Amino acid sequence: QVQLVESGGGLVKPGGSLRLSCAASGFTFSDYYMSWIRQAPGKGLEWVSYISSSSSYTNYADSVKGRFTISRDNAKNSLYLQMNSLRAEDTAVYYCARGKYAFDIWGQGTMVTVSS
Amino acid sequence: EIVLTQSPGTLSLSPGERATLSCRASQSVSSSYLAWYQQKPGQAPRLLIYGASSRATGIPDRFSGSGSGTDFTLTISRLEPEDFAVYYCQQYGSSPTFGQGTKVEIK
């Protein structure tokens, strides 16, 4: 079935780095834009970034621009988010999702905690 | 950035009642780019409505979306026990943004 599975979350110190991965299955990954969306504990949803199907176009929220990098490997059906210079306010569940306009498939999320 | 404001913050209703959720945008949104999501505790959001009024695959017809410009509405015609959750609207302008959510709770 159509599925997205995130991994790579964990506890990291302020200023540290982390790389999230998202494995896609059940659909033609290379046909779709993909996105990362996060949710701080007890808070609402915040779009983080998206990438076009061929990686030619990316876009970022102002809150992460210059610190996070989205990428994908269509041969591996995988999406990535490289997060550098992490801050306490980056603490959240990070979801990968299919789409650019509306997000029709979501993963279960991976928790990122930034704390000393 | 387009800011979405949802109201009310919390809606207390009984099963079988009608729920009307509002989403107001700080500037006009193309109807093609307005979506609604449902999120239950500990779960990822689920797409309900896209293009302001089109139901996503597998979504029951008690869920309907309407509106245009800056004012959009999600209506649940008769609440089922599984509908009590948090609902978010979302738009795509130059970058996607979400509303802050409306919690539909059991009265």
Side-chain angles (χ1 to χ4, degrees):
Chain A
Q1 76 277 24
V2 175
Q3 195 173 10
L4 297 170
V5 179
E6 302 94 335
S7 60
L11 175 63
V12 61
K13 290 181 168 53
S17 298
L18 212 54
R19 189 195 195 207
L20 305 183
S21 299
C22 172
S25 59
F27 65 99
T28 305
F29 180 72
S30 58
D31 283 351
Y32 291 89
Y33 271 69
M34 296 294 296
S35 298
W36 287 99
I37 296 154
R38 69 184 181 183
Q39 187 170 35
K43 302 297 184 182
L45 300 166
E46 179 188 18
W47 167 79
V48 172
S49 179
Y50 64 64
I51 186 168
S52 64
S53 55
S54 62
S55 303
S56 58
Y57 187 69
T58 59
N59 193 14
Y60 298 91
D62 287 344
S63 58
V64 307
K65 202 170 290 184
R67 301 187 299 122
F68 290 11
T69 302
I70 192 171
S71 62
R72 65 191 293 163
D73 185 336
N74 286 343
K76 295 183 178 180
N77 291 336
S78 293
L79 176 72
Y80 306 101
L81 186 68
Q82 178 66 44
M83 304 186 295
N84 297 331
S85 303
L86 283 162
R87 306 166 180 167
E89 55 264 35
D90 295 319
T91 294
V93 174
Y94 284 73
Y95 296 101
C96 68
R98 187 174 79 173
K100 172 188 178 185
Y101 300 116
F103 308 111
D104 62 343
I105 305 296
W106 296 62
Q108 86 288 350
T110 188
M111 184 70 202
V112 172
T113 303
V114 184
S115 175
S116 55
Chain B
E1 174 182 293
I2 297 177
V3 176
L4 299 179
T5 302
Q6 293 186 239
S7 62
T10 302
L11 200 50
S12 298
L13 295 169
S14 300
E17 289 193 293
R18 181 183 187 91
T20 302
L21 287 66
S22 174
C23 176
R24 179 162 290 178
S26 59
Q27 54 187 280
S28 186
V29 174
S30 167
S31 295
S32 299
Y33 300 143
L34 195 287
W36 290 92
Y37 300 84
Q38 176 193 68
Q39 188 178 32
K40 297 179 181 179
Q43 297 184 17
R46 176 173 71 146
L47 177 67
L48 299 175
I49 301 287
Y50 64 94
S53 60
S54 297
R55 274 187 298 276
T57 303
I59 301 303
D61 61 6
R62 64 180 181 273
F63 291 91
S64 62
S66 63
S68 63
T70 59
D71 289 292
F72 297 87
T73 300
L74 175 70
T75 301
I76 310 171
S77 60
R78 286 174 50 248
L79 283 164
E80 297 288 340
E82 62 268 27
D83 298 337
F84 292 92
V86 179
Y87 293 83
Y88 295 94
C89 59
Q90 174 245 324
Q91 66 79 33
Y92 174 75
S94 56
S95 296
T97 57
F98 291 88
Q100 83 279 16
T102 289
K103 181 180 182 180
V104 178
E105 66 176 21
I106 299 176
K107 186 174 181 180

